[in-house]
Amino acid sequence: MNIGYIHGYEPEDDAITVDVVYFLSEPEAIAYAETHPAYQQEFWCTVDGSTQVAWGTPGSTCTVPNGYMIINENPSLRRLSLTWGTSISLIDWNNCCDVKPFDRTAFAATIAAGYRLAWFNVDADGYVTSIQEQYVP
């Protein structure tokens, strides 16, 4: 599975425009920050559970807000084609936060209103076979 921000949908070509990102759990984010110092400022580091200190302070514990971090190393947009059977599931923000199936028309209207962070599966031929929106607080 891949994850990225879906920026556009072209109904005439049945294709999405996506900015691929990394969605890291807290342990993965901490490991990533060890070798990418620019991201260390995103962490909340403490020595006693309440006094904030800088990353790398001896005896400190660091956490990332909400338990995850999204990394976008390459802001290039990619264009990927869908298949006729691609399943699309997005969050119903009117009934937060249920995920429900969307048809192509509803998907087009949703993406036109703003980009969405979603997991998507790409088959061996390069076609997107499923899309599922990721909830982020």
Side-chain angles (χ1 to χ4, degrees):
M1 291 292 274
N2 302 284
I3 190 166
Y5 291 103
I6 299 176
H7 284 265
Y9 172 63
E10 302 165 32
E12 62 280 356
D13 295 328
D14 204 20
I16 58 173
T17 304
V18 63
D19 182 4
V20 177
V21 298
Y22 297 118
F23 189 88
L24 305 178
S25 67
E26 186 166 87
E28 292 169 326
I30 289 170
Y32 187 88
E34 291 286 344
T35 58
H36 297 80
Y39 290 97
Q40 294 172 359
Q41 66 187 4
E42 303 295 325
F43 289 81
W44 180 265
C45 301
T46 64
V47 287
D48 58 10
S50 62
T51 305
Q52 189 171 5
V53 296
W55 175 279
T57 300
S60 66
T61 302
C62 297
T63 60
V64 64
N66 297 312
Y68 68 88
M69 179 178 273
I70 299 170
I71 305 291
N72 187 357
E73 287 188 340
N74 181 349
S76 298
L77 297 178
R78 295 150 182 89
R79 187 174 180 277
L80 300 169
S81 295
L82 280 58
T83 67
W84 65 269
T86 299
S87 65
I88 301 170
S89 300
L90 301 178
I91 294 172
D92 177 1
W93 291 100
N94 295 321
N95 275 328
C96 190
C97 294
D98 298 333
V99 175
K100 68 176 194 175
F102 273 57
D103 63 22
R104 299 290 207 274
T105 302
F107 179 62
T110 300
I111 297 304
Y115 63 85
R116 299 289 183 102
L117 180 63
W119 293 95
F120 57 97
N121 191 44
V122 178
D123 68 15
D125 295 321
Y127 290 95
V128 176
T129 59
S130 66
I131 297 171
Q132 182 167 338
E133 186 172 7
Q134 170 67 46
Y135 172 79
V136 287

